[in-house]
Structures are given as C-alpha cells and as structure tokens.
C-alpha cells in the first residue's frame, strides 16, 4: 500500500550536476521512518485517517496523557505525532506499531516524480512594509523625510477607518508554507536522504511534510 505522505528533516542545500552538465540546485532532505500510532475511522472519530509518530523522546518530555496514548499499544515514546487522511479500505492493511519505510517499493518517492512539500517558513521577526510587502521607498535626498515609512493607510472621511487586511508592518515569516510541483532529483536510500530540486520552506533541521 502506498502511504499518502512522509516526514523529513531539511538538512541544507547544495548543487549537483545533471547528465547534460547543468548545475541543479537541490535541497537535501533526511527521510524519517514513521510508526503507526493510531487508526481513526468514521465510527469513532467521524473521519478516516492514520496517525503516525516520529522522533524518539524521553518520558520527561511527554505529558501523562501522551505517554498513556502510546503505552496503550506498547509503542515507543515518540515526540511528534501527525495525521494523514486515508480511506478506511486502504488503511486496512496497517495496524498500530507498524513501521512505514520511506524507501519501500510502493513509496511515493520516485526519482523524477513531482511532490508537494509543506514546512514552516523562516521567521524574520517584526519587519516594516518595505521588507515584508516589497513597498517602494520614498526619495532619499532633497530634504525628503519619507524614506521607508508606509505613508497613507486610507482615506479620512469615507470610510473613516482602515480596511481589514491592510498591508502594514508586523511579524514576517514563521508560517505554514506549501510549495507544489517540486521534483525529486535523486534518492539516496543508503543515507536515508532525498535530493529535491529547488528550495523548500524552513530552517535547516526543520521538519517538513511530503505528499504526492
């Protein structure tokens, strides 16, 4: 059974050469083995999904409820849990405790295939409109004092307020970002790594989700 998604850890970027001699920018992703921790169905939870866990943890890092959830099925302590929606008929082959190998024959990972990658973008902190939204700056000379200020944010009498969603200074980055259509350039099963063509969101060491 082909599992609908995988979890990886971003390890940085480099470039590799294609057979034609072109330099291809790639992101190195370490793929993590997933342990099935729970099967959810329409009767109990109202939807069908498979919950998987990854990243080993110590007991002091988990709450009593989290430990009880894993101990119920005699599973190792895992720091992170994630759900993947899957039809109940397709999930019948799996049970709690099974390990999902990212490099299995029926894996979604195939060299040349396109995938969707989701991660948390790099946080930039509080930034002004010029950096955050790409606003143009004002004149830098001739007595101007309007270099990087936002300027007017709306008319006065009508509507007499600032519209919701106005692009202004504020927190930039540190948000969930999904990039579609990234190509798997090469697989390195002996190192549990994959080379994905192009850039993916997040810092080095950040967790990402890969889907078909």
């Amino acid at each position: 059974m082909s599992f609908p998604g995988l979890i990886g850890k971003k390890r940085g970027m480099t470039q590799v050469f294609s057979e034609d001699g072109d330099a291809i920018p790639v992101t190195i992703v370490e793929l993590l083995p997933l342990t099935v921790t729970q099967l959810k169905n329409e009767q109990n939870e109202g939807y069908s999904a498979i919950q998987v866990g990854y990243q080993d943890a110590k007991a002091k890092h988990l709450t009593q409820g989290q430990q009880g959830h894993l101990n119920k099925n005699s599973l190792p302590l895992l720091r992170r849990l994630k759900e993947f929606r899957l039809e109940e008929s397709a999930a019948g082959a799996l049970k709690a405790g099974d390990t999902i190998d990212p490099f299995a024959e029926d894996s979604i990972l195939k060299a040349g295939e396109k995938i969707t990658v989701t991660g948390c973008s790099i946080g930039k902190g509080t930034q002004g409109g010029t950096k955050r939204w790409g606003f143009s700056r004002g004149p830098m000379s001739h007595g101007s004092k309007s270099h990087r200020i936002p300027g007017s944010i709306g008319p006065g009498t009508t509507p007499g307020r600032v519209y919701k969603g106005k692009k202004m200074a504020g927190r930039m980055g540190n948000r969930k970002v999904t990039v579609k259509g990234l190509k798997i350039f090469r697989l390195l099963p002996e190192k549990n790594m994959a080379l994905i063509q192009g850039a993916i969101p997040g810092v080095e060491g950040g967790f990402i989700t890969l889907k078909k």
Side-chain angles (χ1 to χ4, degrees):
M1 183 203 70
S2 178
F3 199 69
L6 296 170
I7 304 292
K9 187 179 282 190
K10 182 177 176 180
R11 288 304 187 190
M13 290 194 71
T14 185
Q15 65 178 14
V16 294
F17 291 95
S18 66
E19 296 178 356
D20 300 329
D22 297 327
I24 308 295
V26 296
T27 303
I28 304 170
V29 177
E30 178 188 356
L31 295 160
L32 307 176
L34 305 177
T35 301
V36 178
T37 55
Q38 185 182 1
L39 274 68
K40 299 194 173 186
N41 54 48
E42 295 281 351
Q43 296 177 344
N44 296 332
E45 287 80 21
Y47 64 97
S48 178
I50 289 184
Q51 184 190 82
V52 296
Y54 56 100
Q55 192 182 15
D56 295 336
K58 297 179 181 178
K60 67 179 182 179
H61 293 146
L62 301 179
T63 64
Q64 293 291 328
Q66 291 170 328
Q67 293 181 45
H69 174 65
L70 297 169
N71 291 334
K72 183 169 63 176
N73 292 315
S74 302
L75 299 172
L77 296 182
L78 299 167
R79 190 73 174 267
R80 297 169 180 269
L81 302 175
K82 184 169 182 62
E83 284 185 9
F84 290 95
R85 292 294 183 102
L86 194 63
E87 292 296 329
E88 200 167 341
S89 57
L94 292 172
K95 61 181 184 300
D98 286 352
T99 300
I100 297 168
D101 180 10
F103 294 99
E105 290 185 6
D106 57 355
S107 172
I108 63 171
L109 293 177
K110 296 285 188 298
E113 290 287 327
K114 290 188 176 181
I115 56 172
T116 296
V117 176
T118 301
C120 185
S121 62
I122 297 174
K124 306 289 185 180
T126 302
Q127 298 295 337
T130 303
K131 181 178 177 71
R132 191 183 186 198
W133 303 109
F135 290 170
S136 300
R137 62 169 175 80
M140 300 301 282
S141 60
H142 298 289
S144 171
K145 296 180 181 179
S146 302
H147 305 314
R148 294 171 69 94
I149 64 173
S152 172
I153 58 173
T157 305
T158 304
R161 62 186 176 87
V162 179
Y163 287 124
K164 288 184 178 180
K166 182 68 180 175
K167 292 180 179 179
M168 300 179 70
R171 192 183 78 172
M172 181 180 177
N174 194 28
R175 299 180 63 182
K176 182 179 179 180
V177 176
T178 298
V179 182
K180 298 182 178 181
L182 292 179
K183 183 179 177 182
I184 300 175
F185 184 80
R186 188 176 297 161
L187 298 175
L188 304 172
E190 66 280 0
K191 297 182 179 180
N192 292 329
M193 292 188 177
L195 304 183
I196 299 176
Q197 187 170 338
I200 62 177
V203 298
E204 289 187 21
F207 291 99
I208 59 169
T209 303
L210 296 81
K211 292 185 178 180
K212 198 167 184 179

